[in-house]
Amino acid sequence: MPYKLGVDVGGTFTDLALYNTDTNQLEFAKTPSTSANQAVGVASGIQELVQRHAVSAASVDFFIHGTTVATNTLLERTGAKTALVVTEGFRDILQIGRQDRPDLYNWRIRRKEPLVPRHLRFEITERVLHTGEVHTPLDKPNLGALVEEIKAAGVEAITVCLLHSYANPTHEKEVGAAIAEKLPDVPLSLSHEILPEFKEYERMSTSVINAYVAPVMERYLTRLQKSIAEVGVKSDLYIMQSNGGTMGAETAIERPVHTILSGPAAGVIGAVAIAGQANQPNSISIDMGGTSFDVSLSYQGEVRRTQESEIERLPVKVPMVDIHTLGAGGGSIAWVDPGGAMRVGPQSAGADPGPACYGRGGAEPTVTDANLALGRLGTKSLLGGNMTLDIELARKAISDKLADPLGLSIEDAAEGIIRVVNASMVKGIRVVSVSKGYDPREFCLVAFGGAGPVHVSELASEMDIPTVLVPIAPGVTSALGLLMADLRHDFAQTVLKPGHELSPSDITSWYQNLEKDAVSQMEREGVLRDEMTLIRTVDVRYTGQGYELQVPSAPGQLSDADLDQIFERFHEAHIRAYGYDSRDNSVEVVNLRLTALATMPRPDLVSSKVNSDKDSSRAITGERNVIFGGNPVATTIYNRSELLPGDTVTGPAVLEQLDSTTVVWPDQTAQVDKYLNLLLTRTSD
């Protein structure tokens, strides 16, 4: 039997989803992450999963992975010693950046130090204009000496980013060839290959990040391929991209900058697909794991993407799923600031030592400890009872660090932790909804991650969101999302010309070049031409604007009517985004973009079992007191895996499963739909 396997590594747990393509059966597993070497945790999780379900690892014919290696490398500044080659006179672009301040009213703010120190930034005489015209020829006589200087510096990675190489990469290619000849084993990132777009600082920053994380990513993926081969998996390795698509491992080694949001993107893809199946086209997905809280909005089933983002205040200009991230997870540490106020996060206890209740030496109170003290988590809630939580250690940590210093009871301090972290998460939900013109009351809140379903009811109540959806396996939804992603690559060509100066044949020619690159890339990953879908879009702005809007373009040979339609779509998009248009102003075509897609088979989550009498008592496992609003309430505990489509659970209730826990408040009802999702609604609604 052929199987597809998705593995997502988080800060605390590694999640696995195994899909049998013949029987349409899904199996899940969750194992602690191994931060020193993620490949170890991945391999052990695979071994545990296949042994538990008597599956041959050799029958896995598709293996896709969501990784945080690139992200952690950036956050921890543990990347390669990197050199940067620039046009003479532009050595300090990476240091200067943009003139805007990261925090306008904070006079003490300091910019992040560049990933490449000044002594490892090298200049070469040459100059290409934005038109592609060569203004100053490349100084070839001194190129050899430059390469020797770089070699003597003992760098582990190299970036070449010459001025306007997106318009004419000839000089950049020559410099790259000279470096590759003398330093063939050093990873090399050429900016016209990594990001062939204008905006010098963003292109340079993105290319440097790619080089900085490349050796780390190569070592990790090499170890991972070896580890999964040792447990018997023979499939090629695919990696989740930040744009919500997949790519081959070799491409990920060459362009690791595209994996910065690998894991979170998978979660959004999974959540949007699940919400769509449940007839909820408008959804806000919240992923609360051990270390972070990720929130993303989908309108009419469309996954929102952005072309520009920042990681630790470093620009990353690659297509990404539009995700807002906060340092709020189950392992987030609660503390008292100098003013005597309770704070939660962004520091996290992570997987090791983890929350105090894990019994691994952690002494700081966390969100997980608070939920355990309030009864919302049971002592055997995690990993199907295979991981025991120590409530006394949780209470002691809360007492020592918070309750005693603030003069509170342990229960009041625990509720305070939950209120503080919930307030942060509500703010994050507002960022992607209210602040962008969306009414959250018109959306369904999709909660996943190990901790998301514990908190989602309070978040929905605070935002007045009427419906909550908790997927079949919320704690491993990102792993499930990996199995729902398509193979995807994005390509771009900067144009920067007024619309009236462009002809349909010009634009068609550029698109044909992008399509040639796209087809070549997809074929290298085993996709046939008739299995590909090529989608064209255009970045357009009014002349003089510093920002652009993306609109679709027609396929094939373009006509004058097609160009007029592009500009009309831009005017309409400008009205939707800003409330007005300016048709008297000329428009400018900034970038042409092309997305290449290959659809992958997705799991069908429909259950064949239905409980017509809606009696959920078979799933009851016990009862315990849970604190709601300061009061202990006798609460029924359910084994969620025993619930069937049609079942109804009336709050207060706690639904426990292998990978997560869902808390149903006293004024809520939970119904199980045909996809085995939980739909939570207020009984008063």
Side-chain angles (χ1 to χ4, degrees), residues 160-375:
V160 182
C161 185
L162 302 183
L163 196 64
H164 301 304
S165 62
Y166 61 87
N168 182 351
T170 302
H171 289 173
E172 200 165 271
K173 287 180 178 179
E174 291 185 57
V175 174
I179 292 172
E181 182 180 358
K182 295 290 185 180
L183 299 166
D185 297 326
V186 179
L188 176 63
S189 295
L190 304 180
S191 73
H192 75 274
E193 294 178 347
I194 303 302
L195 184 65
E197 300 180 29
F198 86 121
K199 295 186 178 179
E200 208 70 20
Y201 173 51
E202 286 77 7
R203 181 160 55 92
M204 188 177 292
S205 174
T206 303
S207 301
V208 165
I209 289 171
N210 191 81
Y212 183 76
V213 303
V216 179
M217 180 64 79
E218 182 176 14
R219 288 194 295 269
Y220 170 66
L221 291 182
T222 300
R223 288 197 302 263
L224 179 61
Q225 288 174 315
K226 181 180 178 181
S227 296
I228 64 175
E230 288 175 351
V231 298
V233 175
K234 294 181 171 57
S235 163
D236 291 336
L237 176 60
Y238 289 87
I239 305 298
M240 183 60 138
Q241 298 185 69
S242 303
N243 63 12
T246 67
M247 61 180 174
E250 294 303 317
T251 306
I253 289 172
E254 294 172 1
R255 302 186 181 185
V257 70
H258 289 275
T259 68
I260 295 294
L261 288 183
S262 175
V268 174
I269 296 298
V272 171
I274 290 169
Q277 286 182 332
N279 199 29
Q280 298 288 342
N282 297 341
S283 62
I284 299 173
S285 63
I286 60 169
D287 178 3
M288 186 180 183
T291 57
S292 64
F293 175 81
D294 301 318
V295 55
S296 183
L297 180 142
S298 170
Y299 181 69
Q300 294 299 306
E302 180 183 352
V303 176
R304 295 173 59 86
R305 292 177 173 86
T306 179
Q307 301 296 334
E308 295 188 43
S309 187
E310 284 190 351
I311 303 294
E312 283 291 279
R313 300 193 186 275
L314 298 174
V316 185
K317 197 173 188 296
V318 296
M320 293 184 177
V321 173
D322 194 359
I323 298 173
H324 183 68
T325 301
L326 301 171
S332 293
I333 295 171
W335 51 286
V336 179
D337 70 13
M342 186 186 297
R343 301 290 189 91
V344 179
Q347 299 86 1
S348 173
D352 187 15
C357 61
Y358 281 14
R360 297 175 180 167
E364 302 295 331
T366 67
V367 173
T368 296
D369 294 309
N371 280 315
L372 181 62
L374 295 172

Side-chain angles (χ1 to χ4, degrees), residues 545-560:
Q545 282 184 323
Y547 50 90
E548 52 273 349
L549 295 174
Q550 191 174 122
V551 295
S553 170
Q557 183 71 41
L558 298 183
S559 64
D560 288 331

Side-chain angles (χ1 to χ4, degrees), residues 1 71 80 88 101 112 175 210 245 263 276 285 298 391 405 423 436 461 477 483 514 597 610 613 656 667:
M1 292 183 183
T71 312
E88 185 179 25
R101 295 172 58 81
K112 291 287 184 180
V175 174
N210 191 81
S285 63
S298 170
I391 191 170
K436 294 187 177 180
S461 177
T477 296
L483 301 177
L514 292 177
L597 289 175
V610 177
D613 61 11
E656 298 178 343
D667 62 344

